[in-house]
């Protein structure tokens, strides 16, 4: 009886690195960040505005944590600087969400009327949240492109 020799190389695909998984999570966070306002804000339901902020707050927190992990694991100074700047954008967006949510909760929560949009405190926090959101989205796109370029350059120089 002859035995079949075990293969010397694994035919299983290699598992993605932690950096690659973080990049995928950043892309998913970016897509969610892009979609969130367009899903909830046009809704006619009173509860949609509150839910928008309730989802946005953990999304911003996840962005801050993810960017911190990318920053600490990267050897590239460019990526570390870009993640630091993008973290500031996500923190601005988070502060805007928190402020707007407090106003919405103070005006009836899920039953808040359209008058909440005219509230000067809500408008002030929205004036911080909207540009921060836009900068976070643009910054995330730029960061993803930079991560891709750095990764390709690293592979080419191996």
């Amino acid at each position: 009886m002859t035995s079949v020799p075990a293969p010397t190389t694994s035919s299983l695909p290699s598992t993605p690195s932690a950096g690659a998984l973080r990049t995928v999570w950043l892309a998913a966070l970016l897509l969610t960040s892009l979609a969130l306002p367009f899903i909830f804000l046009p809704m006619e339901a009173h509860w949609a505005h509150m839910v928008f902020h309730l989802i946005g707050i953990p999304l911003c927190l996840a962005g801050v944590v993810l960017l911190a992990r990318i920053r600490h694991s990267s050897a590239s100074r460019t990526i570390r600087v870009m993640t630091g700047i993008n973290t500031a954008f996500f923190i601005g967006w988070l502060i805007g969400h928190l402020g707007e949510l407090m106003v919405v909760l103070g005006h009836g929560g899920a039953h808040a009327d359209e008058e909440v949009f005219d509230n000067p405190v809500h408008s002030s926090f929205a004036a911080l949240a909207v540009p921060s959101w836009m900068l976070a989205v643009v910054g995330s796109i730029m960061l993803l492109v930079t991560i891709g370029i750095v990764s390709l350059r690293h592979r080419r120089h191996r």
Side-chain angles (χ1 to χ4, degrees):
M1 182 185 268
T2 61
S3 64
V4 178
T8 56
T9 60
S10 174
S11 60
L12 298 174
S14 63
T15 58
S17 69
L21 287 174
R22 288 183 186 118
T23 304
V24 169
W25 278 110
L26 181 62
L29 182 81
L30 171 66
L31 293 174
T32 307
S33 298
L34 278 169
L36 189 65
F38 296 107
I39 293 171
F40 286 100
L41 294 184
M43 288 184 177
E44 297 292 325
H46 294 289
W47 56 265
H49 187 195
M50 186 179 77
V51 171
F52 166 69
H53 294 302
L54 289 173
I55 293 173
I57 291 168
L59 183 70
C60 291
L61 289 171
V64 169
V65 170
L66 180 61
L67 288 167
R69 289 188 178 178
I70 291 171
R71 182 176 189 196
H72 292 298
S73 68
S74 178
S76 167
R77 178 195 266 181
T78 304
I79 291 174
R80 289 192 312 266
V81 169
M82 289 181 73
T83 55
I85 293 168
N86 213 25
T87 299
F89 298 150
F90 271 93
I91 290 171
W93 192 24
L94 173 63
I95 292 168
H97 268 302
L98 288 169
E100 287 184 74
L101 179 62
M102 291 302 115
V103 174
V104 170
L105 291 174
H107 283 81
H111 304 291
D113 291 328
E114 297 292 321
E115 69 186 25
V116 75
F117 290 109
D118 296 329
N119 184 294
V121 177
H122 185 275
S123 297
S124 297
F125 280 109
L128 172 65
V130 173
S132 296
W133 166 65
M134 291 179 184
L135 289 168
V137 167
V138 171
S140 295
I141 292 169
M142 292 171 53
L143 181 59
L144 285 168
V145 169
T146 303
I147 289 171
I149 291 170
V150 167
S151 176
L152 288 174
R153 286 182 134 191
H154 180 69
R155 284 184 187 165
R156 189 171 52 178
H157 288 92
R158 276 188 185 174

